[in-house]
Amino acid sequence: MTFHWKDLTPWRRVKGVAFSLLYLLFCLWAGPFWLIFLPLIIDYYFLHIIKWGWYKNIRNKTLRTICSWVADIIYCVVAVTLIFAFFFQNFAIPTSSLEKTLLVGDYLFVSKLSYGPRSPMTPLTMPLTHNTMPVIGGKSYMEKPQLPYKRLKGFGQVKEGDLVVFNFPAGDTVAVKQPNPDYYTWKKLVGREDLWNRPDFYGEIVYRPVDRRDHYVKRCVALPGQTLSIRDNQIYIDGKAQKNPRNMELNYLVKMTSELTIDQVDELGISYDDVRAAKSEEIAASAGSGLLDSASTKPQIIYHLPLTKAMLAKLPSLPSFVKAVVEPTPLGPLYPLDYETGWTRDNYGPILVPAKGMTVPLNRLNLALYSRCICNFEGNKLEEKPDGTVLINGQVASSYTFRMDYYFMMGDNRHNSADSRYWGFVPEDHIVGKPVFIWLSLNKDKDKSLFGGKIRFGRMMRPVNAD
């Protein structure tokens, strides 16, 4: 078949030229690999060597309709896959770690252009899935080939205070049936042998590549090269107090003389799932606060509630309110898991966040803090001999120079957030994007009807306000 330019309609010429030029610009940005698809675009609009619309000549109407639908579905899947990979992606908020900034049930558009999208690292994957096949379960990707990390140019870089979506750094190894807490915390709590020898409880232990690890969203509180400290729940960066988010929450033990009603919980703005009776050890740890009054004849009901400053100020307006104290700091494993720092959830650090090109001496504390960065994230083999000698890739080393930037992430719901205090730093190659728009918000409380509070219309179709 001979190609004749004059045989094309003016509109098809315009579309063909415009789309080809746009695709060339995309290839200039995304890399020369994508040029392999340019001949298909040119053929579709101009040459017609491939019979793209062959199914339109099928005489059987039913079969022709089915083929037409299949072609449309394939086109949509390819288009959406490219959009999700390079421009933006849908993301649902599963936990309350960022309440009240982002709520459980918020559905977001996450901009990958904000920090620059990553080129696909695990290219052979089922379209429109992340790491698990829907319905049937199992992996939705092939681990090989693995392409090297490359980030395309974006509009900016991660800044202090940004809300950031990222792949979970401690999600490289996962106990499928018990993903929370993470594998490394489980190993600390029960030991590796118990973890691997009880598949009935923990499930299969699987490895996941960087871009197939679960998505988390937190606030970046410390940038590469900064030193973070937490003192009595206040963050300090390089010795200077950081401005707290307006909606930052802390857990309180709240004493009441009668049970909280659903209306009171709604008035305070607390998710009903977060309302629970305080445990006896929590109350005992607050003995010096005067929370319990042995001489009182009134009922003493103590709740465990996450509250912002504004919500805390509302409590005295409740007729049954008596007193509120900050929840005592619980014991539990913190990062680094294999070194006794004496740090707690509310009093943590100081800890230096690694930066690309930064060199640290390999003493005991730094080995505990940065060994995962050196091994898991930057792909080195690290050994520590009984005499204290450190080998990196078989060579004696007294210091290490980082090849990537790292970030320290925390939730605004400071006492209900599994964040960098528990699992460490977020490497730059784990950064996915920035939440920019809430397109749907659903209240997860089961008592809400569809139009009786289930749909949070006031949060829909609006930009994400980081503070």
Side-chain angles (χ1 to χ4, degrees), residues 13 21 77 86 245 287 377 464:
R13 295 176 198 169
L21 289 174
V77 167
F86 291 100
F377 304 144
V464 171

Side-chain angles (χ1 to χ4, degrees), residues 77 81 85 120-134 138-146 209 211-212:
V77 167
T81 299
M121 302 164 75
T122 310
L124 299 183
T125 182
M126 182 64 67
L128 307 184
T129 65
H130 183 51
N131 54 34
T132 305
M133 290 291 290
K139 292 191 298 185
S140 63
Y141 59 92
M142 295 185 65
E143 293 184 11
K144 295 182 179 180
Q146 274 288 302
D211 59 337
R212 297 297 148 192

Side-chain angles (χ1 to χ4, degrees), residues 389-409:
T389 302
V390 177
L391 303 180
I392 295 181
N393 299 324
Q395 302 294 318
V396 175
S398 59
S399 63
Y400 181 79
T401 301
F402 295 98
R403 300 200 298 266
M404 285 196 294
D405 283 330
Y406 293 80
Y407 303 89
F408 201 93
M409 306 285 186

Side-chain angles (χ1 to χ4, degrees), residues 8 28 79 83 92 122 136 181 203 225 241 245 350 446 450:
L8 301 175
L28 185 65
I83 290 170
T122 310
I136 62 174
K446 297 177 181 178
L450 187 61

